[in-house]
Amino acid sequence: MTYRYRVATVFLAGFFIDCINIFMSAIALPDISRQLQVSESSVAWVANSYILGLTLIIPLSAWIASHWGARLTMMVSMVVFSAGALFTGLSSEFSGLITFRFIQGIGGGLLIPVGQALTFGLFGKDERARISTLVMAVALIAPAISPAAGGAIVDHLSWRWVFLCNIPFSLVTAGLAMCWIKSEKTRAQRPDIAGLLLVSLALTALLLGMSLYASAASALLPLSLLAIGLLFAVLYVRHYRRKATPILDLSVLGNPRMRFSVLVYYAVPGIFTGVNLLNIFFLQQVLGWGASETGMLMMLYAGGSFCAMTLCGRLYNRVGAARLFLLGLCCHAAGIAMLALVSAQLSLPLLTLAYLLMGIGGGIGANTAQTTAMIDFEGEQLARASTIWNLNRQMSFSVGAALFTLLFNLLQQHTTSTAAYHRAFLIAAVLGVLPLLQLMSLKTPSESLCDQKER
């Protein structure tokens, strides 16, 4: 195996572990909620605290790698991840579980941006569609097997083993990084600590505000947190404009392909994360499904995604990103809308078709976004774009879960639980096609290359 494929293997292994960690833990949330006696909105912090750990460390990853080297950075990443998973699984209180999930996020957040920048830097632009297909294949396999496996673990063992079972995979990845990655160091500027603090405070306040809004005795606290989050976001934008080397280089969002791909990630994986979380609670608490049965639905999603990604890898350079985005977003939204028709009398056929459509649409949309987002960047700018992209990818999962948990809780105050779930799914379907309003601003890859030659 050549060096660049060894690097890609370590990166993809870390990415696989990250995806497993997100989708497998979602299946366990109803059991965690019952056993630790926390609400549905509060239990979403099992994911949110992990995202906050990622948020803190992802912008620092390039600087850490410049001092430690890629090999040590990627190896330590998986060791910290393993320690976080161990203590999360052993936690007896919800506060401890959330703390160790935060530590686990710090571990996971180191490997992925460093590994992605290193991998994409070793492959030319004409080869990145192939690598993006491999990335999305991992993003397909992990959701396919982890919910079903997680459901079986929850039903036959305990939700704790959902976290503990990650440890062997992360330790093997740490060993591969030690053996396969070269120890050379890159050059990176001193990190922007003030910017990092503003970004972390903004995200923390926004997620806290959304998760507390529906269950708070008064709306004053959650609304204040949302306002504070927006204030910190505005302060970061001002800080970014004055800072020569900001922690997050927002200039990469000036690229229309990156900007549109970011929107698509919120509309597809982000919305799907929230919708799937609601559907897990709906099936287990309203329709009485078991965790194993619920997890098996992701096999259908994976089947649709596999077909879609196979198609994308062959058609991307022929038909262009715009047409693929149109097809993907429409299929994904149609699948979500079908969930609004699921009832005790008619569940399995509709769920089968819904998850197949969401898988096809999600596979097309996410794979196309992964390729399109990075297609215009090289060298140091690629590393900055990779940081933005990976932070956005993780934030989309957390924002999607928090937003739709909030939406469901608000709807539930005015109607039955079943009707609240169904209305939330319909709203999600509408939100999922909103990026199409900006589709005309997207150029094809060939037009992008022509622009670069002219410059």
Side-chain angles (χ1 to χ4, degrees):
M1 186 185 297
T2 61
Y3 177 67
R4 65 178 186 169
Y5 278 103
R6 288 184 179 183
V7 171
T9 298
V10 175
F11 160 58
L12 291 172
F15 183 61
F16 175 78
I17 292 167
D18 180 57
C19 290
I20 278 183
N21 176 64
I22 291 172
F23 286 96
M24 187 178 285
S25 62
I27 292 294
L29 293 184
D31 276 61
I32 295 174
S33 177
R34 286 193 297 270
Q35 186 169 333
L36 299 185
Q37 297 181 341
V38 293
S39 66
E40 293 178 13
S41 56
S42 296
V43 82
W45 277 91
V46 174
N48 290 343
S49 59
Y50 181 83
I51 300 301
L52 289 177
L54 288 165
T55 303
L56 175 66
I57 204 66
I58 281 178
L60 295 175
S61 58
W63 178 77
I64 292 173
S66 73
H67 286 268
W68 292 2
R71 178 170 64 189
L72 182 58
T73 300
M74 296 168 80
M75 184 177 67
V76 169
S77 169
M78 288 293 95
V79 172
V80 173
F81 181 94
S82 301
L86 173 64
F87 289 107
T88 297
L90 297 177
S91 296
S92 58
E93 295 183 358
F94 189 65
S95 59
L97 187 152
I98 295 305
T99 300
F100 291 118
R101 281 288 283 173
F102 178 82
I103 294 172
Q104 193 180 9
I106 289 177
L110 269 176
L111 184 143
I112 296 173
V114 173
Q116 177 168 297
L118 193 58
T119 300
F120 274 68
L122 293 172
F123 289 83
K125 284 191 174 184
D126 58 339
E127 299 174 301
R128 287 183 187 173
R130 187 191 317 162
I131 292 299
S132 293
T133 299
L134 288 176
V135 171
M136 297 314 300
V138 170
L140 155 69
I141 295 170
I145 65 175
S146 56
I153 290 170
V154 170
D155 284 344
H156 297 97
L157 295 173
S158 165
W159 62 262
R160 300 181 183 279
W161 283 97
V162 165
F163 302 102
L164 296 175
C165 71
N166 286 319
I167 297 174
F169 297 101
S170 53
L171 291 178
V172 167
T173 303
L176 291 177
M178 181 177 65
C179 296
W180 283 358
I181 306 297
K182 294 179 182 178
S183 59
E184 74 267 14
K185 298 177 181 179
T186 57
R187 301 178 66 180
Q189 299 287 338
R190 183 178 179 275
D192 172 22
I193 301 300
L196 176 62
L197 182 62
L198 289 172
V199 170
S200 299
L201 288 173
L203 182 59
T204 302
L206 289 170
L207 291 176
L208 274 171
M210 284 191 287
S211 62
L212 292 176
Y213 187 87
S215 57
S218 169
L220 180 61
L221 176 60
L223 287 176
S224 298
L225 287 169
L226 290 172
I228 291 170
L230 292 173
L231 175 62
F232 279 126
V234 171
L235 289 175
Y236 177 75
V237 173
R238 292 183 61 186
H239 170 82
Y240 155 77
R241 290 172 177 169
R242 298 172 181 175
K243 185 76 175 178
T245 55
I247 194 73
L248 294 178
D249 184 5
L250 300 181
S251 67
V252 301
L253 295 175
N255 180 285
R257 285 157 291 283
M258 168 63 87
R259 187 169 60 249
F260 189 82
S261 297
V262 164
L263 290 176
V264 168
Y265 237 80
Y266 280 96
V268 179
I271 286 180
F272 175 76
T273 301
V275 165
N276 190 49
L277 176 60
L278 288 185
N279 199 45
I280 287 170
F281 277 96
F282 174 60
L283 293 178
Q284 292 188 31
Q285 295 187 347
V286 177
L287 299 189
W289 284 40
S292 300
E293 296 172 295
T294 308
M296 288 298 292
L297 288 173
M298 286 302 298
M299 296 293 289
L300 299 169
Y301 182 92
S305 293
F306 177 80
C307 297
M309 285 190 289
T310 301
L311 182 68
C312 277
R314 296 178 179 178
L315 295 182
Y316 184 86
N317 292 321
R318 282 191 242 172
V319 305
R323 293 178 182 175
L324 291 174
F325 277 133
L326 176 62
L327 177 61
L329 290 172
C330 289
C331 286
H332 187 254
I336 294 174
M338 294 193 69
L339 294 177
L341 303 175
V342 174
S343 63
Q345 292 75 31
L346 187 61
S347 59
L348 189 57
L350 282 172
L351 285 167
T352 299
L353 185 56
Y355 271 80
L356 281 173
L357 280 173
M358 287 189 291
I360 292 170
I364 294 173
N367 188 60
T368 305
Q370 177 77 33
T371 303
T372 305
M374 297 293 184
I375 204 165
D376 292 335
F377 301 105
E378 294 283 359
E380 185 181 345
Q381 195 178 31
L382 176 62
R384 295 197 299 268
S386 177
T387 298
I388 290 285
W389 179 250
N390 281 286
L391 186 60
N392 168 76
R393 183 177 67 86
Q394 300 294 346
M395 284 175 58
S396 70
F397 297 145
S398 188
V399 170
L403 177 62
F404 284 99
T405 301
L406 166 63
L407 178 62
F408 168 74
N409 286 331
L410 292 176
L411 291 170
Q412 193 178 29
Q413 295 174 7
H414 305 286
T415 185
T416 64
S417 292
T418 299
Y421 281 116
H422 287 171
R423 291 176 186 178
F425 295 146
L426 289 175
I427 293 171
V430 173
L431 293 177
V433 295
L434 289 183
L436 294 178
L437 297 175
Q438 297 293 320
L439 189 61
M440 296 304 295
S441 67
L442 191 68
K443 294 181 181 180
T444 65
S446 60
E447 289 174 325
S448 170
L449 294 175
C450 288
D451 287 347
Q452 289 185 351
K453 290 178 181 178
E454 290 173 4
R455 290 197 295 267

